[in-house]
Amino acid sequence: MTASSADNKKEAELDLPKIDDGDDDGPKQEKDDLEVGQTHASTELPFTVFSLREKRFIVFMVAAGGFFSPLSANIYFPALPVLAKDLNVSSSLINLTLTTYMILQGIAPTIFGDLADSGGRRPAYLIGFLLYSGANIGLALQHRYVALLLLRCLQSSGSSATIALGNGVVADIATTSERGSYIGWAQSGALLGPVIGPILGGILAQELGWRWIFWFLLIFGLVYIIPYAIFCPETGRNVVGNGSIPPQGLNMSLLHYLRVRKMKRHPLGRTTSWQQAVLVQSELAKKRKWKWPNPLRSLSMVLEKDVGIILFCNAIIYTAFYTIITSLPVLVKDIYNFNELQIGLCFMQVFLQGINAEKSTDSIPRPFGVACCIGSICVGYLLDWNYRRTARNLNLPIDRKRGESLKDFPIEKARIQVMAPGFTIGVATTICWGWVLHEETSLAVPMVLLFIIGATLGSCFSVLGTLLVDLYPRSPATVTAANNLARCLMGAGGTAVIDPMLNAMGRGWCFAFIGLVCSCLTPLLLVEMQYGPKWREARRLLVERQAEKSKGHSVRGTGHRLQI
């Protein structure tokens, strides 16, 4: 085989955009045509050139990155009394730093999500962790309440970027048929944060002082972002296509930069495919213009009927989930006389002997954290299994290499079917949870219920998050940001009213009411399964008409247009 034919074979495996004569409206049209591409699966090019090992590494980094936002929120809890005393402020003012953190946790991803979908994942990660590191340094050194409040907002803005980016990265590298399991693993990190955070915070605040909480977060963040900057590749399809287009600038990992520099020093080692990829890279860079992220894109998605239903359902379930988490410390302290460290251990799957012997002499399971991770990972594999089962029943082919069209596939039904059993069990257990606490039973009973709640309601987040990415595969970070905004704002409201509800209604009726509110979501989920495909198809046709109209108004022959 000649060198030329070898290069040609290599080029055939690359997803290199072709450059045609056409209009200068390429980037705009591609932006308008975000979701159309999902309905036309490629029959020639692989969906991604990343190997299985590379995809696993990328998902591991995504899961680790998603750990920081909830960790930073919850590691702070044990230090609240000490901070109030040192800064000479009331508990209500210290609690305000929790509220503002959650608000920014919902708003910031709408900015980073749009940035990541247009400019790539790596710049968004790097900018987010730059803000996060700076905020941690300031928090560790500050001596005033105003500085604490503002820097916590900055810390939340930087760390919460990973929430929107995680699902976006998974959508870049995983086809619809395998997306569920990857998202399950990617979200496991975020579910571990509320578990480990209070324990680490308690130990650091007690042994080293509250300032070391923020020094620890700074060090931990650097331990993550340095390997990320060196090894983790750019996956944004608007930047690198299926991974075969060379990135540039901040989109380029240090490892890739060194490889490119070595290639430039040795011109004889360049292949025809490499030179063509560099040409495409430069053309793509000319067409892609920097713009300020637009958070309103996330808000506009809420107005889509199918997306709005999913966002509302997920926000209600998240609020129920979060009211249980936030009320747990107060309830177990009142009922079982736990100290701060023992309360933190209620969020983990560990066993303690002899704690609070007056209430229980048995070993005490702490199941919440492991249950959330188990639920997220297991439901991910169930999503993939049900996708294959549905496709087989409809005699539709599955192509894991190139991806499939969802035009005639009931993706809403395939996803929500998996969620139904866990949702039903989780709602029933939430109602039981309140009455068990009302009766002040042996500690083992609420801990078992806590495990079930974590595994079932926690799995619902993975299902609905995966479905949202399925509906917006070309802007997954933006739609995930919309999801995060809805659930964080509603969750903030839930945490604000849970204590008055407990005082007014009692433990039993309070959580019974929460469970009944969740059960009212069932008709909405049925509506989504019935009418979701029609709404999705109507949106696809609308986007196609807009794309054709834009193409018709463009002036051909004035430049080159990239067709990706």
Side-chain angles (χ1 to χ4, degrees):
M1 181 181 295
T2 66
S4 177
S5 60
D7 288 341
N8 291 338
K9 182 178 180 181
K10 211 169 190 179
E11 291 168 17
E13 298 174 356
L14 296 174
D15 183 13
L16 298 177
K18 300 177 182 178
I19 304 176
D20 285 345
D21 290 336
D23 53 86
D24 273 337
D25 206 27
K28 180 180 184 299
Q29 178 163 338
E30 185 176 355
K31 194 73 174 178
D32 293 338
D33 198 23
L34 283 173
E35 315 314 325
V36 176
Q38 177 67 9
T39 63
H40 303 289
S42 172
T43 58
E44 300 176 0
L45 300 171
F47 184 82
T48 180
V49 299
F50 293 111
S51 66
L52 179 61
R53 179 178 297 181
E54 288 174 323
K55 289 197 290 186
R56 287 175 175 173
F57 170 73
I58 292 170
V59 171
F60 169 78
M61 295 300 291
V62 165
F67 180 66
F68 282 89
S69 182
L71 172 69
S72 303
N74 291 273
I75 199 174
Y76 181 69
F77 289 162
L80 293 180
V82 182
L83 277 166
K85 181 179 179 181
D86 286 359
L87 300 179
N88 194 27
V89 295
S90 65
S91 297
S92 60
L93 285 178
I94 286 293
N95 288 337
L96 182 60
T97 64
L98 301 176
T99 303
T100 54
Y101 186 97
M102 182 170 285
I103 292 173
L104 267 295
Q105 196 177 40
I107 295 175
T110 63
I111 300 174
F112 281 98
D114 190 54
L115 170 65
D117 283 335
S118 59
R121 315 300 182 200
R122 280 181 55 86
Y125 267 105
L126 295 174
I127 293 172
F129 271 90
L130 178 64
L131 297 177
Y132 180 69
S133 300
N136 282 323
I137 294 174
L139 286 165
L141 298 176
Q142 55 81 27
H143 296 277
R144 295 179 180 275
Y145 171 75
V146 174
L148 174 69
L149 181 67
L150 295 178
L151 288 170
R152 278 285 287 177
C153 291
L154 184 62
Q155 183 193 46
S156 176
S157 300
S159 62
S160 61
T162 60
I163 297 174
L165 300 178
N167 286 359
V169 172
V170 172
D172 294 335
I173 63 174
T175 61
T176 312
S177 61
E178 60 182 2
R179 189 173 293 154
S181 56
Y182 279 112
I183 287 184
W185 281 104
Q187 292 188 352
S188 62
L191 293 173
L192 276 177
V195 180
I196 299 176
I199 299 173
L200 285 176
I203 294 173
L204 290 170
Q206 183 173 335
E207 300 297 330
L208 300 174
W210 61 265
R211 294 184 187 277
W212 268 98
I213 291 177
F214 303 111
W215 288 124
F216 169 80
L217 291 176
L218 171 65
I219 295 169
F220 192 38
L222 293 176
V223 168
Y224 171 80
I225 199 60
I226 291 174
Y228 178 90
I230 296 173
F231 299 109
C232 206
E234 176 62 63
T235 63
R237 303 185 74 86
N238 190 45
V239 178
V240 297
N242 66 352
S244 59
I245 302 174
Q248 57 184 188
L250 289 177
N251 299 107
M252 188 184 304
S253 68
L254 179 59
L255 199 64
H256 185 83
Y257 167 76
L258 295 175
R259 189 181 300 121
V260 170
R261 191 173 68 170
K262 181 180 178 181
M263 189 74 71
K264 289 181 179 179
R265 289 180 177 178
H266 302 280
L268 295 178
R270 303 175 189 173
T271 63
T272 304
S273 59
W274 184 85
Q275 293 172 348
Q276 183 181 358
V278 172
L279 175 63
V280 170
Q281 176 195 53
S282 62
E283 291 290 340
L284 189 62
K286 292 177 183 178
K287 294 294 182 180
R288 191 174 63 247
K289 299 179 180 179
W290 168 260
K291 64 179 184 61
W292 284 103
N294 181 14
L296 297 180
R297 284 204 66 230
S298 294
L299 296 178
S300 66
M301 293 178 177
V302 180
L303 302 179
E304 299 290 343
K305 293 185 284 292
D306 52 346
V307 176
I309 288 176
I310 299 171
L311 294 178
F312 180 76
C313 292
N314 197 47
I316 292 293
I317 298 170
Y318 180 83
T319 302
F321 186 83
Y322 214 80
T323 54
I324 293 173
I325 294 177
T326 54
S327 63
L328 179 64
V330 175
L331 293 174
V332 296
K333 184 175 184 179
D334 290 344
I335 299 172
Y336 303 104
N337 297 322
F338 275 12
N339 60 34
E340 284 72 15
L341 181 58
Q342 293 166 344
I343 291 171
L345 290 172
C346 285
F347 291 91
M348 290 191 70
Q349 174 72 2
V350 299
F351 294 88
L352 300 179
Q353 299 288 342
I355 291 181
N356 199 13
E358 293 181 2
K359 288 287 181 183
S360 175
T361 58
D362 300 327
S363 56
I364 303 172
R366 318 293 181 193
F368 197 68
V370 172
C372 292
C373 291
I374 290 175
S376 176
I377 293 170
C378 290
V379 81
Y381 287 104
L382 288 174
L383 284 171
D384 291 347
W385 169 82
N386 199 52
Y387 182 93
R388 295 192 299 269
R389 184 184 70 87
T390 304
R392 187 168 56 249
N393 292 339
L394 296 174
N395 294 321
L396 296 175
I398 294 179
D399 189 344
R400 290 189 176 184
K401 184 177 180 180
R402 298 178 177 85
E404 308 84 33
S405 168
L406 295 182
K407 182 175 181 295
D408 300 313
F409 189 89
I411 190 64
E412 295 83 358
K413 182 178 180 180
R415 299 309 194 198
I416 295 175
Q417 280 179 336
V418 177
M419 172 184 158
F423 175 69
T424 303
I425 295 172
V427 170
T429 308
T430 299
I431 297 173
C432 294
W433 163 261
W435 291 110
V436 164
L437 294 178
H438 176 78
E439 296 296 330
E440 300 187 3
T441 64
S442 169
L443 181 61
V445 179
M447 290 300 101
V448 170
L449 295 180
L450 196 61
F451 182 94
I452 298 173
I453 291 171
T456 54
L457 293 187
S459 68
C460 294
F461 306 143
S462 294
V463 174
L464 296 177
T466 303
L467 179 54
L468 286 171
V469 173
D470 293 331
L471 297 180
Y472 278 86
R474 297 291 183 90
S475 49
T478 304
V479 74
T480 302
N483 181 33
N484 190 69
L485 176 65
R487 71 180 193 174
C488 280
L489 293 182
M490 193 170 290
T495 58
V497 302
I498 185 62
D499 284 341
M501 286 178 62
L502 286 169
N503 293 333
M505 304 173 67
R507 300 164 191 158
W509 285 113
C510 175
F511 287 103
F513 174 76
I514 292 173
L516 291 173
V517 170
C518 289
S519 66
C520 293
L521 300 177
T522 302
L524 288 177
L525 294 173
L526 294 175
V527 168
E528 179 72 21
M529 287 194 293
Q530 179 68 29
Y531 296 101
K534 299 177 183 178
W535 294 332
R536 173 161 50 92
E537 178 65 9
R539 181 168 63 248
R540 184 188 70 82
L541 294 175
L542 176 62
V543 172
E544 283 189 338
R545 286 195 298 270
Q546 291 175 344
E548 289 297 325
K549 183 178 179 181
S550 175
K551 185 176 180 180
H553 289 348
S554 63
V555 180
R556 302 187 60 84
T558 59
H560 293 89
R561 176 174 177 267
L562 290 177
Q563 296 179 343
I564 300 179

